[in-house]
Amino acid sequence: MNNLILILQDFREVIGHHGLFTVGLLLIVGYLLGKAVSLIKIPEITGYIIAGLLMGDALTGIVHHEMSEDLKIVTDVALGLIALTIGGEFYMAKLKKMGREVVIITIFQIIITFATVSISLLVFKLSFPFAILMGAIATATAPAATVNIVQSLRAQGKFVDYLYGVVALDDAGCVIIFGLSFAVAAGMLNPGALDHGPAILVLYAFSEIFSSLLLGAITGYLVHCFCTKKTKTNEILILTLGFIFLETAAAIVFHLSPLLSNMAAGALLINLSPRNNKVFRILDPMSPPIYALFFVIAGTELDPRILMHGDILMLGMVFILARGIAKYSGVFIGSAVSKAPANIKKYLGFCMLPQAGVAIGMALIIQASPVITALPPKENGTITMMVNIILLSVFFNELTGPPISKYAIVKAMALEE
């Protein structure tokens, strides 16, 4: 056993000298485990996450935390392309056919999830400011898992259109409700933060949303101007990736939302001209390796040892259960109110369970906020507990969410045939 540990430590030192060792290892192990789990009808994405968990600090330590940080550029690129793909589904002609239903479903799903999770945590003695922050984070749904499963199944149809629409609007609504909740919570936790009035914090939240959308719109317009009349695949690919990389980096540097900005870029691009469909088709072959790396790297960040803490485990289970019930109920009620098709009402809610980068990002934003860091040690301890609860939720939902989503998509698509 000691020899095995020494071998792993030596191997870790070797791959630590160059990031390409790590990238190659992540891809190969992710591929092998993805294929292994697919044999028992589990989505490959779950295998990717398990591969990351096995190689992360929590178990073997082959890919240590510092190396995961070095690979963050991969996750930034992946999230950018995922958001662009979702934005490309916002074709106005298509949205006019289902826009009302998608908006209603999303609003009901977000409000019910926010209220249910917040109230559930209040019942279990979490203070109001922290409960509403957790409720806001609970509204986030991971778009990456949804896009990956849909693409692997090559699914098309009304259900997929609704799914993409709700997931995209969910991320936009999540950012809005998080900004408002954070403004309220900051004021309650630190009255000095509101010397200029709560309206300033609310205005700041909306300005961040507007700036993200504006940045994305400019990027989408530039891609349109440079690529619409081009016919060579290599030229379109080079220009599109260049603009998307610049825009994603700008969003990160200026503390905007890369998800919102890339969704806006995709939405504007597809609506400026149907010919821009070729941009999405050209980017599509790049998706498998980038998505695989994204989920394997996400797996390296998971730590099952958080299950050993009783308070975190209890509140985490409350959070996961309340969120799951609320997500499904919100979609079900919204579908009934909007009179959406039966398969949307019955199965779409199951696709809202995966949770990943957006939720973790919001938890880390709270943790790093000057308003929060200035709080007494007791409140800071609660923030740490919140982050661990979110990590537990991500760990659970990223492993169980994709198989459930795949089941729901297959069942729903069967009803359309």
Side-chain angles (χ1 to χ4, degrees):
M1 188 61 164
N2 289 334
N3 289 335
L4 178 60
I5 292 173
L6 289 173
I7 291 171
L8 287 174
Q9 287 175 342
D10 290 340
F11 186 55
R12 171 175 166 166
E13 290 299 318
V14 171
I15 67 171
H17 287 297
H18 205 297
L20 279 178
F21 279 109
T22 307
V23 171
L25 186 66
L26 291 175
L27 280 173
I28 292 170
V29 177
Y31 168 80
L32 292 173
L33 277 174
K35 284 297 180 184
V37 299
S38 68
L39 295 176
I40 54 175
K41 307 302 181 183
I42 294 176
E44 291 181 351
I45 176 179
T46 303
Y48 301 153
I49 294 167
I50 294 172
L53 177 62
L54 289 174
M55 291 189 288
D57 271 336
L59 295 178
T60 62
I62 293 173
V63 181
H64 51 87
H65 179 71
E66 290 76 14
M67 182 59 73
S68 296
E69 285 295 312
D70 292 339
L71 295 174
K72 190 175 182 298
I73 188 173
V74 176
T75 63
D76 292 337
V77 170
L79 279 175
L81 293 178
I82 289 163
L84 187 78
T85 300
I86 292 175
E89 296 298 319
F90 274 69
Y91 185 47
M92 289 308 297
K94 184 190 293 184
L95 286 177
K96 285 179 181 177
K97 297 178 181 178
M98 60 168 189
R100 174 180 168 273
E101 290 91 341
V102 168
V103 171
I104 291 173
I105 291 170
T106 306
I107 290 173
F108 270 89
Q109 179 255 130
I110 287 177
I111 292 175
I112 290 174
T113 301
F114 173 71
T116 303
V117 172
S118 299
I119 293 170
S120 298
L121 293 174
L122 280 171
V123 170
F124 280 83
K125 309 302 181 184
L126 192 66
S127 64
F128 183 80
F130 296 118
I132 63 171
L133 285 172
M134 293 292 284
I137 293 173
T139 63
T141 297
T146 302
V147 174
N148 184 272
I149 293 167
V150 169
Q151 290 185 345
S152 67
L153 292 172
R154 296 183 179 179
Q156 292 181 333
K158 184 173 285 189
F159 182 83
V160 173
D161 292 340
Y162 271 81
L163 177 57
Y164 275 154
V166 173
V167 168
L169 285 179
D170 178 87
D171 279 320
C174 174
V175 172
I176 293 171
I177 202 165
F178 176 76
L180 296 175
S181 298
F182 187 76
V184 173
M188 295 182 68
L189 291 169
N190 189 354
L194 293 177
D195 287 341
H196 300 289
I200 296 297
L201 288 175
V202 174
L203 183 63
Y204 177 79
F206 277 109
S207 69
E208 182 179 323
I209 294 165
F210 174 78
S211 299
S212 300
L213 295 175
L214 179 62
L215 175 63
I218 292 170
T219 303
Y221 182 72
L222 288 172
V223 174
H224 167 75
C225 291
F226 278 86
C227 296
T228 301
K229 295 183 180 179
K230 296 200 178 295
T231 56
K232 293 183 178 179
T233 299
N234 60 334
E235 293 182 357
I236 295 172
L237 184 61
I238 291 169
L239 287 168
T240 302
L241 286 178
F243 282 119
I244 295 304
F245 289 176
L246 286 171
E247 177 254 320
T248 302
I252 293 169
V253 168
F254 293 106
H255 305 290
L256 303 177
S257 170
L259 274 176
L260 275 183
S261 59
N262 278 293
M263 281 194 285
L268 187 70
L269 192 60
I270 197 64
N271 283 289
L272 284 173
S273 171
R275 295 174 63 184
N276 288 328
N277 258 320
K278 63 187 176 184
V279 172
F280 297 95
R281 288 198 303 271
I282 290 168
L283 289 174
D284 192 53
M286 295 184 60
S287 300
I290 292 176
Y291 287 6
L293 272 176
F294 173 78
F295 287 110
V296 178
I297 292 170
T300 65
E301 297 291 335
L302 299 179
D303 187 354
R305 288 173 294 188
I306 61 176
L307 297 175
M308 303 299 291
H309 298 278
D311 290 344
I312 293 173
L313 184 59
M314 181 189 71
L315 287 175
M317 289 297 104
V318 171
F319 179 88
I320 292 167
L321 186 61
R323 179 180 178 270
I325 293 172
K327 283 280 184 182
Y328 184 84
S329 301
V331 172
F332 189 90
I333 295 169
S335 299
V337 171
S338 64
K339 298 180 180 179
N343 64 332
I344 306 295
K345 180 179 176 182
K346 187 174 182 180
Y347 292 110
L348 185 61
F350 290 119
C351 300
M352 297 290 107
L353 300 179
Q355 192 175 35
V358 177
I360 294 174
M362 288 179 176
L364 296 178
I365 287 171
I366 295 170
Q367 192 176 37
S369 168
V371 174
I372 300 300
T373 54
L375 294 175
K378 182 180 178 181
E379 280 79 4
N380 267 310
T382 305
I383 293 294
T384 302
M385 184 176 68
M386 284 173 55
V387 173
N388 284 324
I389 290 170
I390 297 302
L391 289 174
L392 174 61
S393 175
V394 168
F395 179 77
F396 181 85
N397 285 307
E398 282 296 275
L399 291 179
T400 62
I404 295 172
S405 296
K406 182 178 180 180
Y407 164 83
I409 292 169
V410 171
K411 287 288 187 180
M413 295 304 297
L415 293 178
E416 289 188 2
E417 295 175 355

